[in-house]
């Protein structure tokens, strides 16, 4: 069985892939997402695709007539043409929970970085001016304690974060498709969470129903000076409206790991805003997450080979 990882993998990731693949008896190839020629060559006889972020299209599927499984290394499958996979009899599986710890920690990091203006002070210190900051900036920093954190969605990431935020002194509220009996925090409708949160954090999948859920109207219903955190999917937010709200001072800041278009256009005005902390869709990306992900992926390779049900099959 051959599996192709379509990703620009680090040396550490390559070593972990080789180790786990050997244990599973799976031949592997690693192809940078930008190298179309190498991908076409390696993918032609692949039975499994290890998918990360670059969209998987019907055309790509047709390049691999032996393909039986598209294994998402993560949770969101919005980057896979599910209808085309279904038509071709190709299974699609994901792995809920494997990256929750990493995303939870990154979400907290973004909250703190925005509140404490880390990206303002770090370069200032490096330039030798750290002890002479703009005094107006000092009036814009803050603490999590005493603030209301609102979660849109209450899955594995908020489950980890809510107790920690409460321990730090925050009030937690959340909205979800249904109230969670074991949730830390108070259930509210979406509108109330948007209006009451000092920090609004997004944790829902991208679907046609959730696309643009945080639009211009929602942004202007938020508290003046509130903070938006997004480690879910960029398309949940109207990015132009977000930029306008940040520029106008309606929002005090934002911490973003995901964007409407990735990689981000260097001309995007978001990149020039001093009250935004940015990361390149790496909230999930730790060596620990990758190791856990490969355990699930190669378990599914064995299951595919042995003809038994796959873990977390979506299609």
């Amino acid at each position: 069985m051959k599996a192709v990882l379509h990703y620009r993998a680090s040396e550490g990731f390559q070593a972990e892939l080789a180790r786990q693949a050997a244990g599973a008896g799976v031949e592997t190839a690693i192809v940078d997402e930008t190298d179309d020629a190498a991908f076409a060559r390696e993918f032609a006889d692949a039975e499994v695709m290890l998918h990360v972020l670059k969209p998987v299209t019907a055309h790509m599927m047709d390049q691999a007539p032996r393909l039986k499984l598209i294994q998402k290394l993560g949770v969101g499958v919005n980057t896979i043409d599910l209808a085309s996979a279904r038509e071709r009899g190709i299974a699609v599986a994901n792995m809920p929970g494997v990256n929750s710890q990493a995303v939870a920690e990154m979400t907290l990091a973004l909250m703190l970085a925005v509140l404490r203006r880390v990206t303002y002070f770090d370069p200032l210190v490096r330039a030798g001016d750290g002890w002479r900051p703009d005094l107006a900036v000092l009036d814009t920093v803050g603490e999590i304690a005493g603030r209301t954190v609102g979660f849109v969605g209450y899955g594995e990431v908020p489950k980890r974060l809510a107790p920690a935020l409460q321990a730090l002194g925050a009030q937690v509220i959340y909205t979800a498709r249904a109230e969670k009996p074991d949730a830390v925090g108070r259930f509210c409708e979406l509108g109330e969470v948007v209006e009451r949160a000092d920090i609004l954090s997004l944790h829902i999948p991208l679907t046609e129903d959730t696309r643009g859920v945080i639009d211009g109207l929602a942004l202007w219903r938020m508290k003046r000076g509130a903070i938006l955190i997004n480690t879910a999917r960029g398309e949940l937010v109207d990015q132009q409206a977000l930029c306008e709200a940040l520029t106008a001072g309606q929002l005090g800041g934002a911490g973003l790991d995901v964007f409407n278009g990735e990689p981000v256009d260097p001309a995007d005005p978001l990149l020039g805003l001093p009250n935004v902390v940015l990361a390149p869709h790496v909230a999930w990306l730790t060596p620990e997450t990758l190791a856990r992900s490969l355990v699930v992926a190669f378990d599914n390779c064995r299951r595919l080979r042995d003809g038994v049900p796959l873990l977390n099959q979506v299609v």
Side-chain angles (χ1 to χ4, degrees), residues 10 25 104 107 111 119-120 126-127 140 151 165 173 177-178 186 224 253 265 272 285 289 292 314:
S10 67
T107 301
M111 290 179 184
T119 55
Y120 170 78
R126 295 174 190 273
T140 67
F151 291 118
L165 291 166
I173 59 176
R177 285 179 290 185
R186 185 168 69 84
R224 187 167 180 84
D265 185 341
L285 186 54
T289 289
R292 289 190 294 266
V314 178

Side-chain angles (χ1 to χ4, degrees), residues 98-148:
V98 295
N99 62 17
S100 299
Q101 184 66 34
V103 175
E105 292 184 11
M106 183 63 157
T107 301
L108 181 59
L110 288 173
M111 290 179 184
L112 291 167
V114 175
L115 281 170
R116 301 308 298 268
R117 299 298 299 274
V118 170
T119 55
Y120 170 78
F121 288 110
D122 177 271
L124 205 66
V125 172
R126 295 174 190 273
D129 295 324
W131 281 259
R132 298 288 297 175
D134 182 341
L135 295 179
V137 174
L138 298 181
D139 292 333
T140 67
V141 302
E143 300 174 354
I144 282 178
R147 284 179 160 78
T148 297

Side-chain angles (χ1 to χ4, degrees), residues 170-189:
Q171 179 184 7
V172 176
I173 59 176
Y174 73 95
T175 191
R177 285 179 290 185
E179 187 171 355
K180 308 293 183 181
D182 59 344
V184 172
R186 185 168 69 84
F187 175 78
C188 306
E189 296 299 327

Side-chain angles (χ1 to χ4, degrees), residues 3-18 28-35 50-53 73 284-287 290-291 294:
V4 173
L5 171 66
H6 199 204
Y7 189 61
R8 182 171 172 260
S10 67
E11 287 187 10
F13 190 15
Q14 292 181 45
E16 182 65 19
L17 179 75
T28 59
I30 301 170
V31 181
D32 190 307
E33 291 163 307
T34 62
D35 192 339
L50 303 179
H51 164 63
V52 182
L53 287 172
L73 300 188
W284 65 282
L285 186 54
T286 64
L290 294 173
L294 291 176

Side-chain angles (χ1 to χ4, degrees), residues 9-300:
S10 67
E11 287 187 10
F13 190 15
Q14 292 181 45
E16 182 65 19
L17 179 75
R19 185 185 72 81
Q20 293 205 33
V26 177
E27 176 190 352
T28 59
I30 301 170
V31 181
D32 190 307
E33 291 163 307
T34 62
D35 192 339
D36 292 338
F39 177 72
R41 182 174 62 252
E42 293 290 355
F43 201 45
D45 59 347
E47 294 171 73
V48 177
M49 177 182 188
L50 303 179
H51 164 63
V52 182
L53 287 172
K54 185 171 181 177
V56 183
T57 64
H59 172 69
M60 291 166 68
M61 297 176 202
D62 289 339
Q63 292 179 266
R66 298 176 59 191
L67 188 64
K68 297 183 178 70
L69 170 64
I70 299 169
Q71 175 66 65
K72 170 73 176 185
L73 300 188
V75 182
V77 292
N78 60 289
T79 48
I80 302 169
D81 185 339
L82 299 179
S84 293
R86 188 176 291 108
E87 289 171 2
R88 290 159 176 76
I90 300 169
V92 177
N94 66 352
M95 43 186 69
V98 295
N99 62 17
S100 299
Q101 184 66 34
V103 175
E105 292 184 11
M106 183 63 157
T107 301
L108 181 59
L110 288 173
M111 290 179 184
L112 291 167
V114 175
L115 281 170
R116 301 308 298 268
R117 299 298 299 274
V118 170
T119 55
Y120 170 78
F121 288 110
D122 177 271
L124 205 66
V125 172
R126 295 174 190 273
D129 295 324
W131 281 259
R132 298 288 297 175
D134 182 341
L135 295 179
V137 174
L138 298 181
D139 292 333
T140 67
V141 302
E143 300 174 354
I144 282 178
R147 284 179 160 78
T148 297
V149 177
F151 291 118
V152 179
Y154 199 93
E156 291 300 319
V157 172
K159 281 182 186 178
R160 285 168 166 78
L161 275 177
L165 291 166
Q166 275 198 344
L168 288 170
Q171 179 184 7
V172 176
I173 59 176
Y174 73 95
T175 191
R177 285 179 290 185
E179 187 171 355
K180 308 293 183 181
D182 59 344
V184 172
R186 185 168 69 84
F187 175 78
C188 306
E189 296 299 327
L190 174 62
E192 185 178 355
V193 173
V194 167
E195 292 174 358
R196 293 194 58 234
D198 298 295
I199 303 171
L200 186 68
S201 192
L202 307 184
H203 301 280
I204 52 177
L206 178 65
T207 67
E208 287 310 307
D209 291 333
T210 62
R211 188 180 302 275
V213 66
I214 305 300
D215 57 11
L217 179 60
L219 292 167
W220 285 89
R221 288 174 64 190
M222 291 174 67
K223 287 182 179 179
R224 187 167 180 84
I227 290 169
L228 178 71
I229 305 294
N230 191 4
T231 54
R233 287 293 184 268
E235 295 93 331
L236 298 174
V237 180
D238 182 331
Q239 196 161 293
Q240 181 177 343
L242 173 61
C243 190
E244 292 169 357
L246 288 162
T247 302
Q250 163 61 13
L251 294 189
L256 307 174
D257 183 58
V258 289
F259 305 87
N260 287 183
E262 299 177 2
V264 181
D265 185 341
D268 193 307
L270 272 176
L271 305 189
L273 297 182
N275 54 348
V276 180
V277 178
L278 306 170
H281 205 144
V282 292
W284 65 282
L285 186 54
T286 64
E288 295 88 346
T289 289
L290 294 173
R292 289 190 294 266
S293 298
L294 291 176
V295 169
V296 177
F298 287 119
D299 190 355
N300 265 350

